[in-house]
Amino acid sequence: MGRPGGLAIVLLVARQLAVIYGAPLKTTFEGCRRGSLSGVDYDCCPSEYRGPILDFELKYNASAPVRIRRAMDCLDEDEASEYGEKLRKGISLMKALPADDPRSFAQQARLHCAYATGSFVTGSEGFDIHFSWFFHPWHRWFLYFHERILQTLLGDPTFTIYFWHWDHDGEAIIGRNKCSKSGMYFPAIYADPDSPLFHAARSLRPEFPALPVDLGLTGAESMDVPYRPKDLLLARNVAVMHDVMVIKSNTSRIFLGRDFRAGDKRVSPLEGAGSLEVTGHASIHWWVGGDLRTPPTAGKDPVFYAHHGNIDRLWKLWPLGGQGRANPTDPDFLDAEFLFYDETKNVVRVKVRDAMDTRALGYVYEFEERNEAWWNYQSTWNSWLKPVTHGPDTTTERSQGDPTS
Ligand code: C2O
């Protein structure tokens, strides 16, 4: 390589300056470097890409019926077996793609890793799509492309990923969607060791079908054996959800996390994260454990996508709490750009703004109304039932050196 020419230097300086003054984050895959998280190094950069970068365009056909991402726990037996069959087929096709195919299951996990370890750089800074207001939109896009790749591999444009409804207390749903099963257990289709949906690197918890998840689990507790009794967990989970979604969520700063602009410095894991990202979201990562425990490896576990479906849905539910709850309108949020590989192996540039309406992306969720038990939860018990502390002050988790998103 020769020395960069004068024009290149001028452009480089101009870019650095633009970055210093704060602007919407723009992602480039160029100059991807080895990343790190909590002092551990990772090499997750996508292979070099020489094709054009396409600007995202909705390929959604407005006359096609909107697809519904359904709650896995609320399927009847036939629906569940039909879905399980399709998903297993799609994921095995994804896993069978050549390792360097950007649509392969392994490459998708690597892309999540690269975005989680500061491997991509703006100006001189690496950034992390966790722990800021980008957490929700970035993961919406990630699932969007995952779903499109599955549709393409299956040759079925109607295929829709379903979600793990772990906030759902089966007893108390009201409204038009009734489902009396509880979603608070590890979804069975991911637990069969002979299935491509199984992942060996997990804790023992998912192996106990009668053990409810612990939505208030902290990083510090996550290496312990389960000790909270089932009935306490089920009740406490509802309290935790109420706390995260209704009580500690009245501003977008609290719910989505800190703002993040081009050139901002990466923060320590969990610092700056929104309330749902820390409690509920991270708790499920910790509860399942193993590779799901930490962002650089989390995408290797197929249950990641079912878990994040629920996060995406909860983000949609959040404004229903009213009292001014609304997503930021700051252009540094809406015009931030990320790159993803699409189902044709092209790199697509997306903006946060285009992720704000899932209907425009072609899907909605089942249970998008205010009908989960946690909306109206009223604590009648004493404070021992109250959820553990969560939110921006997460010193305990941080000192673990093994944060999760
Ligand atoms: Cu990118 Cu649940 O994490």
Side-chain angles (χ1 to χ4, degrees):
M1 264 223 273
R3 292 185 54 230
L7 180 63
I9 292 174
V10 171
L11 287 176
L12 198 70
V13 170
R15 193 169 96 174
Q16 300 280 352
L17 284 177
V19 154
I20 287 167
Y21 293 112
L25 183 78
K26 311 269 180 218
T27 312
T28 160
F29 285 171
E30 276 161 55
C32 183
R33 61 184 187 199
R34 283 180 72 89
S36 67
L37 188 69
S38 305
V40 182
D41 277 9
Y42 296 92
D43 181 4
C44 319
C45 290
S47 32
E48 214 189 321
Y49 178 74
R50 299 188 176 279
I53 294 181
L54 310 175
D55 279 309
F56 174 75
E57 277 175 63
L58 280 180
K59 292 184 190 160
Y60 156 65
N61 166 4
S63 62
V66 72
R67 290 173 297 104
I68 302 177
R69 290 190 181 171
R70 298 195 55 194
M72 274 190 284
D73 53 314
C74 300
L75 302 173
D76 69 27
E77 231 174 274
D78 290 348
E79 291 167 336
S81 76
E82 193 189 323
Y83 178 66
E85 209 169 294
K86 277 211 176 167
L87 184 65
R88 281 191 291 272
K89 182 163 173 219
I91 296 292
S92 34
L93 290 168
M94 221 174 228
K95 287 184 169 178
L97 289 172
D100 62 345
D101 187 315
R103 303 166 308 168
S104 71
F105 192 77
Q107 289 296 335
Q108 289 179 58
R110 284 175 66 86
L111 190 67
H112 180 253
C113 168
Y115 271 109
T117 51
S119 303
F120 299 132
V121 176
T122 63
S124 55
E125 297 288 335
F127 63 91
D128 190 327
I129 42 76
H130 302 102
F131 325 127
S132 80
W133 62 8
F134 293 136
F135 169 73
H136 288 289
W138 187 90
H139 287 81
R140 175 167 290 170
W141 281 120
F142 188 55
L143 260 58
Y144 173 83
F145 287 106
H146 177 75
E147 188 176 66
R148 286 197 75 92
I149 296 169
L150 285 171
Q151 290 169 348
T152 303
L153 297 175
L154 289 166
D156 177 1
T158 67
F159 178 76
T160 305
I161 50 175
Y162 292 172
F163 66 92
W164 176 8
H165 199 189
W166 42 253
D167 60 304
H168 178 57
D169 171 17
E171 297 308 315
I173 192 117
I174 46 169
R176 72 179 166 83
N177 296 325
K178 292 215 195 308
C179 168
S180 56
K181 291 180 223 154
S182 173
M184 293 182 178
Y185 299 92
F186 192 74
I189 58 168
Y190 292 91
D192 171 5
D194 297 323
S195 158
L197 306 180
F198 183 76
H199 191 66
R202 287 178 184 151
S203 77
L204 291 176
R205 295 185 191 95
E207 292 181 29
F208 295 95
L211 178 71
V213 295
D214 184 344
L215 297 180
L217 194 74
T218 62
E221 295 169 324
S222 64
M223 300 308 250
D224 299 339
V225 288
Y227 62 93
R228 293 194 176 96
K230 177 172 169 169
D231 289 343
L232 168 62
L233 275 179
L234 291 173
R236 195 175 91 128
N237 286 344
V238 176
V240 169
M241 288 311 296
H242 182 77
D243 199 50
V244 171
M245 296 294 298
V246 181
I247 306 288
K248 297 197 177 102
S249 76
N250 56 341
T251 67
S252 71
R253 167 64 186 84
I254 294 173
F255 185 74
L256 270 76
R258 66 171 285 210
D259 51 1
F260 194 97
R261 296 162 215 276
D264 280 359
K265 293 227 181 320
R266 260 180 104 191
V267 291
S268 309
L270 292 178
E271 190 182 308
S275 54
L276 177 63
E277 184 179 355
V278 178
T279 303
H281 164 255
S283 310
I284 290 284
H285 279 276
W286 285 318
W287 188 88
V288 174
D291 278 343
L292 204 71
R293 200 182 144 78
T294 179
T297 51
K300 295 181 181 179
D301 189 331
V303 83
F304 175 96
Y305 300 88
H307 170 39
H308 269 275
N310 203 31
I311 294 295
D312 191 41
R313 163 184 164 265
L314 291 168
W315 178 30
K316 273 195 95 170
L317 286 178
W318 165 66
L320 303 185
Q323 294 171 326
R325 285 169 174 78
N327 286 299
T329 52
D330 187 327
D332 288 350
F333 176 70
L334 293 173
D335 292 329
E337 294 174 356
F338 299 106
L339 300 182
F340 286 93
Y341 278 96
D342 74 359
E343 69 283 1
T344 63
K345 306 193 219 182
N346 281 306
V347 170
V348 177
R349 183 188 291 115
V350 300
K351 283 186 193 292
V352 165
R353 150 180 328 279
D354 295 316
M356 299 312 288
D357 177 6
T358 71
R359 205 167 263 276
L361 296 175
Y363 71 90
V364 292
Y365 284 97
E366 191 176 25
F367 302 105
E368 280 199 349
E369 300 95 39
R370 281 184 60 120
N371 53 10
E372 299 293 353
W374 49 257
W375 281 107
N376 301 313
Y377 170 80
Q378 278 179 347
S379 176
T380 48
W381 296 35
N382 258 326
S383 55
W384 64 270
L385 184 58
K386 289 239 176 82
V388 292
T389 38
H390 66 265
D393 177 18
T394 52
T395 5
T396 337
E397 284 87 353
R398 252 180 289 143
S399 62
Q400 294 280 306
D402 189 9
T404 289
S405 268

